[in-house]
Amino acid sequence: MDVSVVIPVYNEEGNLRHLFDRLCKTMDSLGRSWEVIFVNDGSKDSSGEMLRGFCAERPDVVKLVDFNGNYGQHTAIIAAFERTAGDVIVTLDADLQNPPEEIANLLAKIDEGCDSVGGYRKQREDTALRRYCSKIVNFARDKMTNIRMKDQGCMLRAYKRNVVDAILKTNERSLFIPALAYTFSSNPAEIEVEHAAREVGESKYNMYKLIRLNFDLITGFTIMPLQLFTLFGFLSSIGSLGLVVILLFRRIFLFSEGEAEGVFTLFAILFFLISVAIVGIGLIGEYVGRIYQVVQSRPKYVIKETIGFDKNGK
């Protein structure tokens, strides 16, 4: 098998027919053996029925993994990775914002010798707030980790088999697949891809989920946030000691009892340091929580049904 296309699906009934037709036309024209693995991530609409129809329509290439609930985009991709047969694996969203016709360009870059190829959107057709927040997150990730990507949010990507195998060996619960692939790649690359406005439905990522996902990215690939809080605590200790020395000097040598304004200044400093301490405790809790999730050893997902695979799920 040359190429495996992985598509997680969650409530995308309005896009699936068009997506499937364009994908089949694109992949059939490449002259390569291929398969597509759809993962129904607990859809509440008719997406599951439509995917079963695709399996009956093209049983030669279409396979389905049907979850019993919603486990998230990256978990769905991992479930498909575990069942792919291709030498190259392509990930694609089901919302048609990334055109399936761009797959040919990703494969061409892979053929040049790259083992991981990511797309970065030529012109994002998202809201101004979404674009602005992405820039902030990309900047923070670039400064705090060794992951260098122009567009971490674009899921139109291609990976060689060795990269996918390395990803599958991880035992992490909070996954961010593009970052993991970059870490395990010896020759990563990015190419410019088209990006279309969503025509049907709405994004499954609200602002909280986006913040949660990007926080997982930062805490999953660096301990710099903890190191920054340690440094801040060290500098605060020095500053506090200096303030005590100043107050003692005023009391002993200048006989100053201090003004009311000074009391309120001390309260302001105290409240600031308490708020920073609370944030620091929450940050430590995030790291401890990641450890807790791993040691629980619960399954990452539960499958209700598979179609197109053998009895071993391949």
Side-chain angles (χ1 to χ4, degrees):
M1 183 71 65
D2 291 334
V3 182
S4 295
V5 181
V6 170
I7 305 178
V9 177
Y10 180 63
N11 295 342
E12 292 289 355
E13 61 182 2
N15 293 308
L16 286 179
R17 181 75 254 179
H18 196 194
L19 167 68
F20 184 66
D21 291 342
R22 289 171 62 180
L23 176 67
C24 289
K25 181 179 179 181
T26 297
M27 298 306 298
D28 287 340
S29 68
L30 296 178
R32 303 181 186 222
S33 59
W34 67 284
E35 65 177 1
V36 55
I37 300 178
F38 289 101
V39 182
N40 182 27
D41 189 21
S43 297
K44 303 300 182 183
D45 60 6
S46 63
S47 296
E49 289 73 18
M50 294 183 68
L51 294 175
R52 289 178 177 82
F54 297 158
C55 291
E57 185 178 333
R58 289 290 304 270
D60 57 320
V61 294
V62 182
K63 299 178 180 180
L64 172 64
V65 177
D66 192 7
F67 283 170
N68 74 330
N70 179 243
Y71 292 92
Q73 180 188 39
H74 292 262
T75 300
I77 292 175
I78 287 294
F81 276 179
E82 292 173 345
R83 293 161 175 81
T84 53
D87 296 324
V88 179
I89 295 87
V90 176
T91 58
L92 177 68
D93 285 336
D95 57 13
L96 279 177
Q97 288 195 268
N98 292 127
E101 291 81 8
E102 293 283 0
I103 292 176
N105 297 325
L106 295 177
L107 297 178
K109 197 68 177 178
I110 288 285
D111 291 339
E112 293 177 8
C114 299
D115 55 359
S116 172
V117 181
Y120 62 91
R121 289 162 282 194
K122 182 178 181 180
Q123 182 176 348
R124 288 192 61 173
E125 298 295 337
D126 289 321
T127 63
L129 177 62
R130 182 83 172 264
R131 295 195 301 269
Y132 182 72
C133 291
S134 293
K135 288 181 179 179
I136 294 176
V137 171
N138 273 293
F139 177 80
R141 184 258 309 145
D142 186 70
K143 297 301 181 183
M144 299 180 71
T145 71
N146 292 321
I147 300 170
R148 303 290 178 257
M149 291 187 293
K150 293 181 180 179
D151 189 354
Q152 66 188 36
C154 181
M155 288 304 295
L156 179 57
R157 297 175 180 272
Y159 311 114
K160 294 289 288 290
R161 168 57 57 185
N162 64 296
V163 175
V164 170
D165 288 343
I167 292 174
L168 293 177
K169 290 178 181 178
T170 64
N171 191 35
E172 299 181 37
R173 307 295 299 185
S174 300
L175 296 166
F176 197 92
I177 291 171
L180 282 173
Y182 181 92
T183 302
F184 298 139
S185 298
S186 59
N187 186 22
E190 287 185 288
I191 63 172
E192 187 177 73
V193 296
E194 296 292 337
H195 189 246
R198 174 183 272 272
E199 296 182 2
V200 180
E202 58 184 17
S203 174
K204 307 307 183 293
Y205 280 101
N206 56 33
M207 191 57 62
Y208 170 77
K209 288 183 178 179
L210 287 172
I211 293 173
R212 177 72 262 172
L213 182 66
N214 288 287
F215 200 78
D216 285 341
L217 168 63
I218 293 176
T219 57
F221 289 87
T222 179
I223 61 170
M224 183 176 288
L226 293 178
Q227 294 171 332
L228 290 176
F229 269 95
T230 300
L231 177 61
F232 178 80
F234 179 73
L235 295 177
S236 297
S237 298
I238 295 177
S240 300
L241 179 60
L243 183 60
V244 170
V245 171
I246 292 173
L247 292 176
L248 287 175
F249 180 83
R250 287 167 58 85
R251 175 66 63 87
I252 296 173
F253 296 100
L254 300 181
F255 304 103
S256 174
E257 296 294 333
E259 297 80 9
E261 291 81 0
V263 174
F264 289 113
T265 300
L266 289 177
F267 273 119
I269 296 173
L270 178 62
F271 292 152
F272 172 72
L273 293 177
I274 290 174
S275 64
V276 170
I278 292 173
V279 172
I281 293 171
L283 184 61
I284 294 172
E286 285 289 334
Y287 282 97
V288 174
R290 295 173 69 91
I291 299 172
Y292 175 67
Q293 288 180 327
V294 171
V295 300
Q296 280 182 310
S297 298
R298 293 178 181 175
K300 295 179 181 178
Y301 56 84
V302 176
I303 295 176
K304 181 170 62 176
E305 181 186 15
T306 60
I307 300 176
F309 300 96
D310 59 26
K311 62 180 181 179
N312 296 319
K314 296 292 185 180

